[in-house]
């Protein structure tokens, strides 16, 4: 991999002196794992752009999830971003397409999650009263052809939270989910928007708001759920 190609390969949605927001493609791990597969870490030198330190991710985003990923460009900025995420002061909106869907039009899922591992199947998150609290707000954006286009606003940030809540509480797994549903066609989950207050932000009132475009692999399914053309 050539680090210097990273700026073109992973579009920058926002570039600020203290931080940046990338449009992470589906299938790209944020951190390198034991298998040594390509990850965002290999591209960080190409995103340094004159700063003393490499930019670093301020939060997690699943390998198969596309969309907004915030990186701190300085150590103080990274610490400040970490505090915002820990305090729940970052507004996050996700889009997903599921097979099936909830009976209602909006609501909230409160379903604790626990990590479960077996030697044969590996690990996954399961609903369990002994697990960590996990809360997800949701509303239906469209339906069609047996599919449901959903908007999620997570109140907590548990591993695989949206994927498990969709499969266990909202009538159907997210399309392309190889763990909680059926693999194929890519995971139809997008970190669509992110917003937070930031001192000296480049928008009025120091508010930073960023939106990621709909990835190509999700456009047909969203179109099937809407009478309008898929949004950009």
């Amino acid at each position: 991999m050539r680090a210097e190609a990273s700026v073109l390969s992973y579009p920058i949605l926002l570039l600020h002196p203290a931080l940046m927001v990338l449009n992470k493609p589906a299938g790209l791990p944020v951190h390198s794992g034991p298998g040594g597969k390509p990850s965002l870490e290999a591209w960080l030198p190409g995103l340094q752009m004159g700063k003393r330190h490499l930019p670093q991710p301020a939060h997690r985003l699943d390998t198969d999830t596309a969309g907004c990923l915030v990186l701190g460009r300085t150590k103080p900025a990274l610490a400040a971003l970490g505090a915002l995420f820990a305090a729940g002061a970052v507004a996050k909106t996700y889009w997903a397409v599921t097979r099936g869907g909830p009976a209602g039009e909006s609501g909230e899922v409160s379903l604790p999650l626990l990590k479960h591992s077996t030697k044969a199947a590996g690990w996954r998150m399961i609903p369990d009263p002994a697990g960590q609290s996990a809360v997800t707000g949701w509303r239906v954006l469209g339906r069609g052809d047996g599919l449901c286009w959903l908007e999620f606003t997570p109140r907590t940030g548990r591993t695989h939270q949206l994927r498990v809540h969709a499969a266990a509480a909202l009538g159907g797994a997210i399309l392309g989910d190889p763990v909680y549903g059926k693999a194929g066609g890519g995971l139809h989950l997008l970190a669509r928007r992110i917003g937070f207050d930031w001192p000296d932000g480049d928008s009025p009132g120091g508010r930073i708001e960023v939106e990621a475009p709909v990835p190509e692999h999700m456009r047909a399914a969203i179109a099937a759920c809407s009478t309008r053309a898929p949004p950009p």
Side-chain angles (χ1 to χ4, degrees):
M1 275 188 151
R2 294 178 61 82
E4 60 266 32
S6 61
V7 175
L8 296 177
S9 301
Y10 306 121
I12 296 174
L13 300 172
L14 174 74
L15 184 61
H16 180 281
L19 58 93
M20 65 174 64
V21 182
L22 297 184
N23 181 23
K24 188 189 85 67
L28 179 75
V30 173
H31 300 289
S32 59
K37 292 182 178 179
S39 72
L40 181 66
E41 289 183 350
W43 299 84
L44 294 179
L47 296 168
Q48 191 169 357
M49 292 183 284
K51 290 292 186 180
R52 181 177 179 184
H53 301 286
L54 296 179
Q56 295 294 330
H59 60 117
R60 297 174 301 182
L61 206 58
D62 286 351
T63 295
D64 294 324
T65 302
C68 295
L69 179 70
V70 184
L71 286 74
R73 301 185 68 202
T74 68
K75 287 189 174 181
L78 187 63
L81 287 165
L84 287 173
F85 278 97
V90 178
K92 294 174 283 185
T93 301
Y94 289 76
W95 282 359
V97 181
T98 63
R99 179 72 64 184
E105 295 302 309
S106 64
E108 185 174 270
V109 175
S110 181
L111 192 64
L113 301 177
L114 184 69
K115 188 173 183 178
H116 177 72
S117 300
T118 66
K119 187 175 181 179
W123 70 271
R124 63 167 55 202
M125 303 301 291
I126 61 171
D128 192 307
Q132 290 183 301
S133 170
V135 182
T136 303
W138 61 270
R139 71 183 180 108
V140 174
L141 298 179
R143 301 178 192 265
D145 196 27
L147 305 176
C148 186
W149 173 20
L150 289 165
E151 179 178 272
F152 294 128
T153 50
R155 323 290 191 215
T156 54
R158 309 304 178 203
T159 301
H160 291 185
Q161 175 177 316
L162 304 181
R163 297 164 66 176
V164 180
H165 281 180
L170 292 176
I174 296 174
L175 291 185
D177 192 329
V179 179
Y180 307 101
K182 185 177 180 180
L187 183 69
H188 283 50
L189 180 61
L190 169 68
R192 173 67 170 176
R193 286 187 295 272
I194 200 159
F196 48 91
D197 292 324
W198 187 259
D200 301 320
D202 58 359
S203 56
R207 182 73 179 175
I208 286 179
E209 299 276 355
V210 184
E211 185 172 272
V214 177
E216 190 62 35
H217 75 278
M218 290 180 61
R219 296 185 69 79
I222 287 178
C225 298
S226 176
T227 58
R228 299 175 288 112

